Amino acid sequence: MTVLTLAKALNEGLRAAMDADPKVLIMGEDVGKLGGVFRVTDGLQKDFGEDRVIDTPLAESGIIGTAIGLAIRGYRPVCEIQFDGFVFPAADQIITQLAKMPLRSLGKLKLPVVVRIPCGGGIGAVEHHSESPEAYFTHTAGLRVVACSNPVDAYTMIQDAVRSDDPIVFFEPKRRYWDKADVELGAPGLPLGKAKVVRTGNDVTLLAYGPMVKTCLESAAAAEDDGRSVEVIDLRSLSPLDMGVITESVNRTGRCVVVHEAPVFTGLGGELAARISEACFFRLESPVLRVGGFSTPYPPSRLEDHYLPDLDRVLDAVDRVLAY
Amino acid sequence: MTASTTGLTAPPELVQLLTPEGERIEHPDYKIDLTAEEVKALYRDLVLVRRIDLEAVALQRQGELGLWASLLGQEAAQVGSGRALTDVDMAFPTYREHGVAWCRGVDPINLLGLFRGVNHGGWDPAEHNFHLYSIVIGTQTLHAVGYAMGIQRDGAEAATIVYFGDGATSQGDVNEAFIWASVFNAPVVFFCQNNQWAISEPLEKQSRIPLYKRASGFGFPGVRVDGNDVFACLAVTRKALADARAGQGPTMVEAFTYRMGAHTTSDDPTRYRVADELEAWKLKDPIERVKAYLFRGELADQEFFDKVEAEADALGKELRRSCLALPDPAPEALFDHVYAEPHALMADEREQYLSYLAGFER
Ligand SMILES: Cc1ncc(C[n+]2csc(CCOP(=O)(O)OP(=O)(O)O)c2C)c(N)n1
Ligand SMILES: [Mg+2]
């Protein structure tokens, strides 16, 4: 076991993926000497060379577009988008090309491209550096979308993502990059598409992913002090959803709250609530509630504590589902 | 065809009117006659702008700003071009144009508000003809061209200037802006501050040719100017703006300069660049050469320099005071200005959140 931060766990995972397959490439702005602005690719260019760890020109559409070309040629590019708010220049290549080209080839073409995106707020950043754009991508058929929440998962999920033959958008919770945990290097993890119960409970199910998993675990611990038994599920995969684990839990607890940083309106929570109400209708004791960002652009940092779901807002929702 | 037959290897030409030693030189295409008072005014701008920047860096270090993007080393490029603008011209900045903001009359406290995180900028772009800062690289170049197309359609005698970095030249938006400007002959000046770095990436990662040479491929003139020479930046930008106003279309100005500090206060440049480079550029300091010129020609005395210094101290102090006095926005500000017209969802969320907050007071 080694104690690693989430950023370092990703770094070790990428290193293992590059060791395992010479076709794996890393591409992005400042991923070389600097090792990425969050140091996720630290040292990789030194060890694998400039041909495999590529500092690209400053153009996101170019990063994804050329990654697609490299993938057609048999490479497995892992692209870094520096911050969530800067993925949009690449939206065309991701949505119209990356997501759809395999289908156009009737399956002859595989595009094993990973698009890594640090996401979410809570670091006091300026505009465009704190967003949660996952719903744009879960709404795009042809992409798998995953989010890691902790170092252990980060280490294995990134390797699984690189191995997958599908294009994957891989969200990394930037405010948790410095969180530490014991990671067993070389060990496999839970498969990529699986959700995980990270805390068991009987009264309410909290569904979260990425940065909000920790918030929900803290909320569950606080709720326990008030005699409430709260289960927390880390979705890990946002598209597809692991509905088996979710419905098993909600059928047991009868109550569910979905928590994400992204705006509630037409966010992933809406999809989850609808699916749960279909699958668990006769067991539900209350409507599924959602806690998330407001339907406003991400605010200036002095307001972000209001915007971001926190322990109090999660507990408030727990109270409200229990009040039914 | 080799690089030499395509002209790609021709050595870059640099417009310089004031050497790093403070010696005035002439250039056939860029005549400029500055009175002692005008030179002293430029010197004052340079010093004050540097002071604003230093104060902001200090405020960030002390936790009063979340971030700051320093303009250190780029004062001449910004003051020279900024002072070339007339009131009717419009400027579109990146996030580093504090010196241009100064020239346009934007109170620097507005810039600090953004970096402190109390708002996303918030100044009125029309008040000083200085648009909001743009953080998403290159996006503003298209806005500037569109604005210039508006000027054209209004039949107005004005021009637009848009600022961007060397890294930005790789973005699709910037290349599209070049095409639009060219095809529509828009009255716009593309002012590229080539500070040699895009965070950790040196210019070679963006371009195989000097950036100003890109312009010819798009069908308009490109000029490289010594970006640390405020006279040259002023003269070259003045001419480009005058050409634009006179209906001659776009010009690209590449101000050849150097980012003396970190990319932002979050960055650690020791990870990717050598100190030698920095030392070499220190000798080309944009302020020192104007000071040397003023001294040499006995255009200013010690009293003048002391006065500017005292003014800078006072400005720094005032900026610090007003920064610390910036109120945090009220939570309901979250929902303000998202839409111009009433919006049901905003109203709902606002009401719900305020009543949630009120629950804590009970
Ligand atoms: C679309 C986009 N991608 C990435 C970034 C992150 N980023 C901020 S500044 C920067 C480098 C910009 O370099 P340059 O254009 O040379 O301007 P400079 O910062 O040197 O003034 C990058 C990559 C961004 N702001 N926008
Ligand atoms: Mg630059």
Side-chain angles (χ1 to χ4, degrees):
Chain A
M1 290 285 215
T2 320
V3 178
L4 298 179
T5 62
L6 196 155
K8 185 64 182 160
L10 287 165
N11 179 271
E12 290 293 347
L14 287 168
R15 178 177 290 280
M18 295 188 81
D19 272 332
D21 183 350
K23 294 292 188 188
V24 175
L25 306 177
I26 288 180
M27 309 170 63
E29 295 155 10
D30 306 290
V31 297
K33 259 193 190 163
L34 185 64
V37 295
F38 293 107
R39 310 291 186 259
V40 169
T41 57
D42 191 20
L44 296 180
Q45 190 181 64
K46 194 172 117 266
D47 295 342
F48 293 98
E50 292 189 19
D51 273 355
R52 292 189 66 193
V53 180
I54 306 168
D55 264 337
T56 66
L58 206 177
E60 287 74 11
S61 182
I63 294 171
I64 305 301
T66 56
I68 291 171
L70 282 157
I72 296 170
R73 181 72 192 179
Y75 286 87
R76 305 182 87 86
V78 182
C79 303
E80 174 171 301
I81 298 294
Q82 198 161 81
F83 282 90
D84 32 67
F86 307 140
V87 67
F88 302 108
D92 179 30
Q93 288 291 347
I94 296 175
I95 295 169
T96 73
Q97 303 303 314
L98 185 60
K100 300 179 176 64
M101 206 181 277
L103 170 82
R104 292 213 297 271
S105 76
L106 295 181
K108 292 177 194 69
L109 200 59
K110 296 190 172 61
L111 294 182
V113 175
V114 179
V115 182
R116 294 182 35 238
I117 309 179
C119 68
I123 62 161
V126 293
E127 222 186 342
H128 314 296
H129 291 74
S130 303
E131 299 177 2
S132 300
E134 60 270 15
Y136 294 117
F137 300 104
T138 56
H139 200 65
T140 300
L143 302 174
R144 288 178 191 272
V145 182
V146 302
C148 60
S149 70
N150 63 78
V152 175
D153 278 351
Y155 173 67
T156 61
M157 284 173 72
I158 191 65
Q159 294 178 69
D160 292 344
V162 175
R163 266 194 299 267
S164 168
D165 279 339
D166 283 320
I168 297 191
V169 180
F170 191 100
F171 285 102
E172 302 169 2
K174 71 170 81 79
R175 71 162 127 160
R176 310 292 185 211
Y177 270 139
W178 302 277
D179 285 6
K180 288 184 182 157
D182 262 335
V183 179
E184 195 180 338
L185 296 181
L190 192 65
L192 201 56
K194 294 284 174 207
K196 185 158 98 188
V197 176
V198 288
R199 181 187 173 105
T200 53
N202 306 316
D203 301 337
V204 181
T205 302
L206 294 181
L207 299 181
Y209 52 90
M212 283 292 106
V213 173
K214 188 175 181 186
T215 306
C216 285
L217 285 170
E218 288 165 359
S219 306
E224 188 174 87
D225 297 342
D226 292 339
R228 281 156 179 183
S229 168
V230 175
E231 179 144 311
V232 181
I233 294 179
D234 180 352
L235 295 179
R236 297 171 84 252
S237 178
L238 312 187
S239 177
L241 291 164
D242 184 4
M243 284 309 294
V245 171
I246 298 167
T247 52
E248 187 284 321
S249 172
V250 180
N251 275 333
R252 210 162 13 81
T253 61
R255 293 177 166 88
C256 179
V257 176
V258 190
V259 183
H260 52 57
E261 287 189 19
V264 167
F265 189 73
T266 65
L268 207 58
E271 181 63 31
L272 284 159
R275 283 181 181 267
I276 290 165
S277 76
E278 286 168 28
C280 311
F281 187 69
F282 293 107
R283 300 292 190 86
L284 281 174
E285 304 286 342
S286 90
V288 178
L289 294 189
R290 291 165 292 165
V291 180
F294 301 111
S295 305
T296 68
Y298 196 87
S301 61
R302 295 258 163 171
L303 282 175
E304 73 179 338
D305 289 345
H306 286 286
Y307 181 91
L308 292 168
D310 60 4
L311 191 129
D312 285 330
R313 272 168 70 195
V314 174
L315 291 179
D316 173 67
V318 167
D319 283 348
R320 284 188 287 132
V321 286
L322 282 167
Y324 277 89
Chain B
M1 210 165 31
T2 65
S4 61
T5 60
T6 57
L8 287 176
T9 53
E13 288 165 30
L14 182 84
V15 177
Q16 189 181 64
L17 302 179
L18 186 64
T19 67
E21 293 72 37
E23 204 174 318
R24 185 73 171 80
I25 46 181
E26 292 298 327
H27 190 287
D29 300 333
Y30 299 99
K31 301 277 173 216
I32 194 166
D33 242 336
L34 295 167
T35 64
E37 286 317 304
E38 285 169 328
V39 177
K40 282 155 79 177
L42 288 172
Y43 176 83
R44 173 179 170 271
D45 283 337
L46 293 169
V47 170
L48 296 187
V49 158
R50 180 170 288 182
R51 183 58 63 96
I52 292 168
D53 191 70
L54 287 177
E55 196 62 43
V57 171
L59 284 163
Q60 195 283 334
R61 293 282 175 249
Q62 293 152 10
E64 297 297 340
L65 301 180
L67 182 83
W68 182 254
S70 169
L71 60 50
L72 192 67
Q74 299 175 222
E75 296 88 349
Q78 297 195 13
V79 167
S81 61
R83 287 299 178 203
L85 297 165
T86 65
D87 284 351
V88 294
D89 298 329
M90 179 72 183
F92 286 81
T94 70
Y95 40 81
R96 209 187 286 288
E97 267 66 77
H98 323 312
V100 184
W102 169 259
C103 294
R104 297 310 272 165
V106 176
D107 187 331
I109 191 60
N110 284 305
L111 314 177
L112 266 58
L114 185 161
F115 289 99
R116 188 172 168 87
V118 302
N119 57 37
H120 291 314
W123 59 86
D124 177 359
E127 191 184 344
H128 301 286
N129 275 355
F130 184 75
H131 190 67
L132 299 168
Y133 274 4
S134 281
I135 290 176
V136 186
I137 301 293
T139 48
Q140 75 281 11
T141 54
L142 284 165
H143 311 156
V145 174
Y147 190 95
M149 290 166 68
I151 290 176
Q152 211 172 27
R153 276 151 188 73
D154 292 343
E157 206 174 304
T160 301
I161 189 166
V162 58
Y163 292 87
F164 54 100
D166 43 291
T169 61
S170 294
Q171 278 289 9
D173 275 7
V174 175
N175 288 274
E176 290 175 23
F178 290 164
I179 290 168
W180 248 253
S182 171
V183 166
F184 295 103
N185 200 43
V188 60
V189 176
F190 292 107
F191 195 92
C192 177
Q193 284 169 86
N194 175 2
N195 62 8
Q196 316 300 329
W197 293 92
I199 311 187
S200 73
E201 297 196 14
L203 184 66
E204 305 88 80
K205 298 287 174 200
Q206 318 289 346
S207 189
R208 270 173 68 164
I209 57 163
L211 293 174
Y212 76 96
K213 291 194 178 181
R214 292 239 182 118
S216 73
F218 289 93
F220 51 85
V223 192
R224 178 183 278 186
V225 59
D226 179 347
N228 289 15
D229 171 354
V230 71
F231 295 175
C233 289
L234 177 66
V236 167
T237 312
R238 247 185 205 164
K239 171 153 187 335
L241 288 165
D243 288 351
R245 286 189 217 101
Q248 291 178 42
T251 301
M252 176 174 176
V253 178
E254 177 192 359
F256 200 76
T257 181
Y258 194 76
R259 194 193 79 207
M260 296 300 285
H263 168 68
T264 65
T265 46
S266 301
D267 177 40
D268 172 12
T270 62
R271 288 180 67 98
Y272 54 80
R273 69 182 191 185
V274 294
D276 295 3
E277 200 178 87
L278 193 70
E279 291 308 314
W281 278 93
K282 267 187 192 156
L283 303 174
K284 303 181 190 173
D285 185 72
I287 301 185
E288 284 309 313
R289 68 177 77 183
V290 181
K291 193 171 189 177
Y293 173 78
L294 285 169
F295 260 129
R296 242 172 218 268
E298 295 179 11
L299 302 173
D301 51 16
Q302 192 55 43
E303 195 188 336
F304 165 75
F305 293 111
D306 292 347
K307 219 181 81 197
V308 173
E309 209 51 40
E311 196 182 354
D313 288 344
L315 178 64
K317 223 183 216 167
E318 170 56 20
L319 196 58
R320 166 167 297 264
R321 190 202 58 75
S322 53
C323 176
L324 301 187
L326 277 176
D328 277 352
E332 55 266 37
L334 269 167
F335 308 98
D336 292 343
H337 309 299
V338 181
Y339 299 92
E341 295 186 20
H343 188 283
L345 183 59
M346 281 302 95
D348 277 358
E349 287 191 0
R350 180 190 160 103
E351 189 193 309
Q352 277 170 24
Y353 188 59
L354 290 182
S355 84
Y356 164 81
L357 284 180
F360 288 91
E361 282 150 27
R362 260 178 254 129

